[in-house]
Every structure is written in C-alpha cells, then in structure tokens.
mmCIF file of all heavy atoms in Angstrom:
data_model
loop_
_atom_site.group_PDB
_atom_site.id
_atom_site.type_symbol
_atom_site.label_atom_id
_atom_site.label_comp_id
_atom_site.label_asym_id
_atom_site.label_seq_id
_atom_site.Cartn_x
_atom_site.Cartn_y
_atom_site.Cartn_z
ATOM 1 N N GLY A 1 -26.833 16.222 -15.384
ATOM 2 C CA GLY A 1 -25.508 16.823 -15.516
ATOM 3 C C GLY A 1 -24.813 16.329 -16.770
ATOM 4 O O GLY A 1 -25.024 15.203 -17.225
ATOM 5 N N ARG A 2 -23.949 17.160 -17.344
ATOM 6 C CA ARG A 2 -23.263 16.838 -18.592
ATOM 7 C C ARG A 2 -21.790 17.235 -18.482
ATOM 8 O O ARG A 2 -21.458 18.267 -17.911
ATOM 9 C CB ARG A 2 -23.888 17.597 -19.787
ATOM 10 C CG ARG A 2 -25.372 17.307 -20.027
ATOM 11 C CD ARG A 2 -25.552 15.913 -20.601
ATOM 12 N NE ARG A 2 -26.923 15.603 -20.958
ATOM 13 C CZ ARG A 2 -27.774 14.953 -20.190
ATOM 14 N NH1 ARG A 2 -27.392 14.569 -18.967
ATOM 15 N NH2 ARG A 2 -28.995 14.670 -20.599
ATOM 16 N N LEU A 3 -20.900 16.404 -19.049
ATOM 17 C CA LEU A 3 -19.481 16.727 -19.087
ATOM 18 C C LEU A 3 -18.841 16.037 -20.283
ATOM 19 O O LEU A 3 -19.076 14.848 -20.517
ATOM 20 C CB LEU A 3 -18.784 16.258 -17.803
ATOM 21 C CG LEU A 3 -17.300 16.645 -17.690
ATOM 22 C CD1 LEU A 3 -17.150 18.150 -17.470
ATOM 23 C CD2 LEU A 3 -16.607 15.878 -16.574
ATOM 24 N N VAL A 4 -18.050 16.788 -21.050
ATOM 25 C CA VAL A 4 -17.254 16.235 -22.141
ATOM 26 C C VAL A 4 -15.793 16.256 -21.717
ATOM 27 O O VAL A 4 -15.291 17.287 -21.250
ATOM 28 C CB VAL A 4 -17.410 17.049 -23.439
ATOM 29 C CG1 VAL A 4 -16.604 16.402 -24.564
ATOM 30 C CG2 VAL A 4 -18.858 17.162 -23.848
ATOM 31 N N VAL A 5 -15.110 15.124 -21.864
ATOM 32 C CA VAL A 5 -13.686 15.015 -21.557
ATOM 33 C C VAL A 5 -12.929 14.937 -22.880
ATOM 34 O O VAL A 5 -13.175 14.026 -23.684
ATOM 35 C CB VAL A 5 -13.382 13.777 -20.694
ATOM 36 C CG1 VAL A 5 -11.896 13.700 -20.373
ATOM 37 C CG2 VAL A 5 -14.211 13.802 -19.409
ATOM 38 N N THR A 6 -12.038 15.895 -23.105
ATOM 39 C CA THR A 6 -11.264 15.924 -24.342
ATOM 40 C C THR A 6 -9.770 15.955 -24.007
ATOM 41 O O THR A 6 -9.376 16.128 -22.860
ATOM 42 C CB THR A 6 -11.625 17.146 -25.199
ATOM 43 O OG1 THR A 6 -11.353 18.347 -24.447
ATOM 44 C CG2 THR A 6 -13.100 17.131 -25.596
ATOM 45 N N GLY A 7 -8.947 15.804 -25.051
ATOM 46 C CA GLY A 7 -7.502 15.808 -24.875
ATOM 47 C C GLY A 7 -6.852 14.826 -25.832
ATOM 48 O O GLY A 7 -7.529 13.951 -26.393
ATOM 49 N N PRO A 8 -5.555 14.949 -26.045
ATOM 50 C CA PRO A 8 -4.862 14.058 -26.981
ATOM 51 C C PRO A 8 -4.793 12.632 -26.462
ATOM 52 O O PRO A 8 -5.040 12.367 -25.279
ATOM 53 C CB PRO A 8 -3.465 14.684 -27.081
ATOM 54 C CG PRO A 8 -3.286 15.426 -25.789
ATOM 55 C CD PRO A 8 -4.639 15.922 -25.407
ATOM 56 N N ASN A 9 -4.465 11.711 -27.348
ATOM 57 C CA ASN A 9 -4.259 10.321 -26.939
ATOM 58 C C ASN A 9 -3.191 10.253 -25.863
ATOM 59 O O ASN A 9 -2.156 10.927 -25.952
ATOM 60 C CB ASN A 9 -3.831 9.467 -28.138
ATOM 61 C CG ASN A 9 -4.978 9.192 -29.087
ATOM 62 O OD1 ASN A 9 -6.131 9.169 -28.681
ATOM 63 N ND2 ASN A 9 -4.665 8.994 -30.353
ATOM 64 N N GLY A 10 -3.425 9.454 -24.850
ATOM 65 C CA GLY A 10 -2.456 9.307 -23.773
ATOM 66 C C GLY A 10 -2.585 10.335 -22.664
ATOM 67 O O GLY A 10 -1.829 10.302 -21.693
ATOM 68 N N ALA A 11 -3.563 11.251 -22.788
ATOM 69 C CA ALA A 11 -3.710 12.289 -21.760
ATOM 70 C C ALA A 11 -4.419 11.767 -20.515
ATOM 71 O O ALA A 11 -4.359 12.397 -19.459
ATOM 72 C CB ALA A 11 -4.465 13.487 -22.326
ATOM 73 N N GLY A 12 -5.104 10.626 -20.628
ATOM 74 C CA GLY A 12 -5.728 10.036 -19.450
ATOM 75 C C GLY A 12 -7.245 10.045 -19.457
ATOM 76 O O GLY A 12 -7.870 9.872 -18.407
ATOM 77 N N LYS A 13 -7.848 10.192 -20.646
ATOM 78 C CA LYS A 13 -9.320 10.248 -20.709
ATOM 79 C C LYS A 13 -9.944 8.928 -20.232
ATOM 80 O O LYS A 13 -10.857 8.930 -19.401
ATOM 81 C CB LYS A 13 -9.769 10.573 -22.142
ATOM 82 C CG LYS A 13 -9.271 11.915 -22.657
ATOM 83 C CD LYS A 13 -9.844 12.267 -24.010
ATOM 84 C CE LYS A 13 -9.444 11.292 -25.109
ATOM 85 N NZ LYS A 13 -7.975 11.282 -25.344
ATOM 86 N N SER A 14 -9.459 7.808 -20.757
ATOM 87 C CA SER A 14 -10.000 6.512 -20.328
ATOM 88 C C SER A 14 -9.686 6.256 -18.858
ATOM 89 O O SER A 14 -10.509 5.685 -18.127
ATOM 90 C CB SER A 14 -9.438 5.383 -21.197
ATOM 91 O OG SER A 14 -9.906 5.484 -22.525
ATOM 92 N N THR A 15 -8.518 6.687 -18.410
ATOM 93 C CA THR A 15 -8.156 6.544 -17.004
ATOM 94 C C THR A 15 -9.146 7.286 -16.121
ATOM 95 O O THR A 15 -9.617 6.754 -15.108
ATOM 96 C CB THR A 15 -6.728 7.076 -16.763
ATOM 97 O OG1 THR A 15 -5.794 6.283 -17.498
ATOM 98 C CG2 THR A 15 -6.362 7.035 -15.282
ATOM 99 N N LEU A 16 -9.499 8.507 -16.509
ATOM 100 C CA LEU A 16 -10.444 9.299 -15.719
ATOM 101 C C LEU A 16 -11.803 8.611 -15.655
ATOM 102 O O LEU A 16 -12.433 8.550 -14.585
ATOM 103 C CB LEU A 16 -10.581 10.698 -16.325
ATOM 104 C CG LEU A 16 -11.567 11.636 -15.624
ATOM 105 C CD1 LEU A 16 -11.180 11.853 -14.170
ATOM 106 C CD2 LEU A 16 -11.647 12.974 -16.363
ATOM 107 N N LEU A 17 -12.275 8.064 -16.764
ATOM 108 C CA LEU A 17 -13.570 7.390 -16.750
ATOM 109 C C LEU A 17 -13.527 6.116 -15.915
ATOM 110 O O LEU A 17 -14.501 5.778 -15.235
ATOM 111 C CB LEU A 17 -14.037 7.090 -18.173
ATOM 112 C CG LEU A 17 -14.989 8.156 -18.755
ATOM 113 C CD1 LEU A 17 -14.261 9.489 -18.943
ATOM 114 C CD2 LEU A 17 -15.589 7.712 -20.083
ATOM 115 N N ASN A 18 -12.399 5.404 -15.950
ATOM 116 C CA ASN A 18 -12.253 4.211 -15.105
ATOM 117 C C ASN A 18 -12.283 4.573 -13.628
ATOM 118 O O ASN A 18 -12.849 3.835 -12.813
ATOM 119 C CB ASN A 18 -10.955 3.473 -15.447
ATOM 120 C CG ASN A 18 -11.115 2.481 -16.574
ATOM 121 O OD1 ASN A 18 -11.581 1.363 -16.383
ATOM 122 N ND2 ASN A 18 -10.729 2.885 -17.780
ATOM 123 N N ILE A 19 -11.684 5.705 -13.275
ATOM 124 C CA ILE A 19 -11.738 6.172 -11.883
ATOM 125 C C ILE A 19 -13.164 6.530 -11.508
ATOM 126 O O ILE A 19 -13.664 6.136 -10.448
ATOM 127 C CB ILE A 19 -10.806 7.393 -11.693
ATOM 128 C CG1 ILE A 19 -9.333 6.981 -11.841
ATOM 129 C CG2 ILE A 19 -11.036 8.039 -10.331
ATOM 130 C CD1 ILE A 19 -8.368 8.154 -11.885
ATOM 131 N N ALA A 20 -13.845 7.262 -12.389
ATOM 132 C CA ALA A 20 -15.226 7.676 -12.118
ATOM 133 C C ALA A 20 -16.140 6.470 -11.937
ATOM 134 O O ALA A 20 -17.076 6.501 -11.135
ATOM 135 C CB ALA A 20 -15.738 8.568 -13.247
ATOM 136 N N ALA A 21 -15.853 5.396 -12.687
ATOM 137 C CA ALA A 21 -16.664 4.175 -12.595
ATOM 138 C C ALA A 21 -16.346 3.358 -11.359
ATOM 139 O O ALA A 21 -17.034 2.360 -11.081
ATOM 140 C CB ALA A 21 -16.450 3.325 -13.851
ATOM 141 N N GLY A 22 -15.299 3.721 -10.636
ATOM 142 C CA GLY A 22 -14.912 2.967 -9.454
ATOM 143 C C GLY A 22 -14.088 1.735 -9.768
ATOM 144 O O GLY A 22 -13.898 0.866 -8.915
ATOM 145 N N GLU A 23 -13.567 1.654 -10.988
ATOM 146 C CA GLU A 23 -12.801 0.481 -11.399
ATOM 147 C C GLU A 23 -11.292 0.691 -11.290
ATOM 148 O O GLU A 23 -10.530 -0.251 -11.479
ATOM 149 C CB GLU A 23 -13.172 0.096 -12.832
ATOM 150 C CG GLU A 23 -14.626 -0.319 -12.964
ATOM 151 C CD GLU A 23 -14.974 -0.892 -14.315
ATOM 152 O OE1 GLU A 23 -14.071 -0.945 -15.187
ATOM 153 O OE2 GLU A 23 -16.132 -1.287 -14.507
ATOM 154 N N LEU A 24 -10.878 1.911 -10.987
ATOM 155 C CA LEU A 24 -9.458 2.212 -10.821
ATOM 156 C C LEU A 24 -9.314 3.158 -9.642
ATOM 157 O O LEU A 24 -10.033 4.163 -9.555
ATOM 158 C CB LEU A 24 -8.899 2.855 -12.096
ATOM 159 C CG LEU A 24 -7.435 3.301 -12.064
ATOM 160 C CD1 LEU A 24 -6.503 2.105 -11.904
ATOM 161 C CD2 LEU A 24 -7.087 4.080 -13.331
ATOM 162 N N HIS A 25 -8.396 2.826 -8.726
ATOM 163 C CA HIS A 25 -8.192 3.666 -7.552
ATOM 164 C C HIS A 25 -7.148 4.735 -7.877
ATOM 165 O O HIS A 25 -6.040 4.410 -8.321
ATOM 166 C CB HIS A 25 -7.725 2.827 -6.358
ATOM 167 C CG HIS A 25 -7.718 3.580 -5.069
ATOM 168 N ND1 HIS A 25 -8.881 3.915 -4.398
ATOM 169 C CD2 HIS A 25 -6.693 4.102 -4.343
ATOM 170 C CE1 HIS A 25 -8.567 4.592 -3.308
ATOM 171 N NE2 HIS A 25 -7.255 4.717 -3.251
ATOM 172 N N PRO A 26 -7.468 6.019 -7.691
ATOM 173 C CA PRO A 26 -6.500 7.072 -8.013
ATOM 174 C C PRO A 26 -5.372 7.145 -6.987
ATOM 175 O O PRO A 26 -5.531 6.727 -5.839
ATOM 176 C CB PRO A 26 -7.350 8.337 -7.980
ATOM 177 C CG PRO A 26 -8.441 8.032 -6.997
ATOM 178 C CD PRO A 26 -8.742 6.567 -7.172
ATOM 179 N N ASP A 27 -4.244 7.684 -7.425
ATOM 180 C CA ASP A 27 -3.129 7.905 -6.495
ATOM 181 C C ASP A 27 -3.401 9.091 -5.583
ATOM 182 O O ASP A 27 -2.935 9.131 -4.446
ATOM 183 C CB ASP A 27 -1.824 8.124 -7.273
ATOM 184 C CG ASP A 27 -1.364 6.865 -7.978
ATOM 185 O OD1 ASP A 27 -1.539 5.767 -7.404
ATOM 186 O OD2 ASP A 27 -0.841 6.961 -9.102
ATOM 187 N N THR A 28 -4.122 10.075 -6.088
ATOM 188 C CA THR A 28 -4.561 11.202 -5.251
ATOM 189 C C THR A 28 -6.055 11.400 -5.473
ATOM 190 O O THR A 28 -6.603 11.029 -6.501
ATOM 191 C CB THR A 28 -3.838 12.514 -5.616
ATOM 192 O OG1 THR A 28 -4.263 12.944 -6.927
ATOM 193 C CG2 THR A 28 -2.330 12.335 -5.611
ATOM 194 N N GLY A 29 -6.700 12.000 -4.474
ATOM 195 C CA GLY A 29 -8.099 12.346 -4.614
ATOM 196 C C GLY A 29 -9.039 11.179 -4.341
ATOM 197 O O GLY A 29 -8.628 10.092 -3.920
ATOM 198 N N SER A 30 -10.323 11.421 -4.608
ATOM 199 C CA SER A 30 -11.342 10.426 -4.295
ATOM 200 C C SER A 30 -12.573 10.633 -5.167
ATOM 201 O O SER A 30 -12.731 11.678 -5.806
ATOM 202 C CB SER A 30 -11.745 10.537 -2.821
ATOM 203 O OG SER A 30 -12.302 11.821 -2.561
ATOM 204 N N THR A 31 -13.432 9.610 -5.196
ATOM 205 C CA THR A 31 -14.722 9.719 -5.879
ATOM 206 C C THR A 31 -15.820 9.309 -4.904
ATOM 207 O O THR A 31 -15.590 8.503 -4.002
ATOM 208 C CB THR A 31 -14.795 8.801 -7.124
ATOM 209 O OG1 THR A 31 -14.701 7.432 -6.704
ATOM 210 C CG2 THR A 31 -13.668 9.118 -8.096
ATOM 211 N N ARG A 32 -17.012 9.860 -5.110
ATOM 212 C CA ARG A 32 -18.146 9.518 -4.249
ATOM 213 C C ARG A 32 -19.406 9.411 -5.095
ATOM 214 O O ARG A 32 -19.644 10.245 -5.980
ATOM 215 C CB ARG A 32 -18.353 10.580 -3.162
ATOM 216 C CG ARG A 32 -17.265 10.635 -2.118
ATOM 217 C CD ARG A 32 -17.627 11.588 -0.982
ATOM 218 N NE ARG A 32 -17.862 12.948 -1.454
ATOM 219 C CZ ARG A 32 -16.895 13.822 -1.710
ATOM 220 N NH1 ARG A 32 -15.624 13.472 -1.554
ATOM 221 N NH2 ARG A 32 -17.190 15.040 -2.114
ATOM 222 N N THR A 33 -20.201 8.386 -4.827
ATOM 223 C CA THR A 33 -21.535 8.262 -5.404
ATOM 224 C C THR A 33 -22.484 7.836 -4.298
ATOM 225 O O THR A 33 -22.106 7.029 -3.440
ATOM 226 C CB THR A 33 -21.595 7.212 -6.537
ATOM 227 O OG1 THR A 33 -21.115 5.956 -6.038
ATOM 228 C CG2 THR A 33 -20.750 7.627 -7.724
#
C-alpha cells in the first residue's frame, strides 16, 4: 500500500504520522494494526 500526505506547514502531517505510529493518541477516531 502507498499513501502521500501533503499540506502546508502546521496542517498536521507529522501529527498524523505520530498517530499512525501509535505514539500519539487522537482526540477522535482510532488506529489498528
């Protein structure tokens, strides 16, 4: 699988990757591996 995350600085790209890695708990939603 492939995915590119784009957007301006401050849009939350690093935040999204931290959530995906399981290192940050989101306020809404969930992740599963």
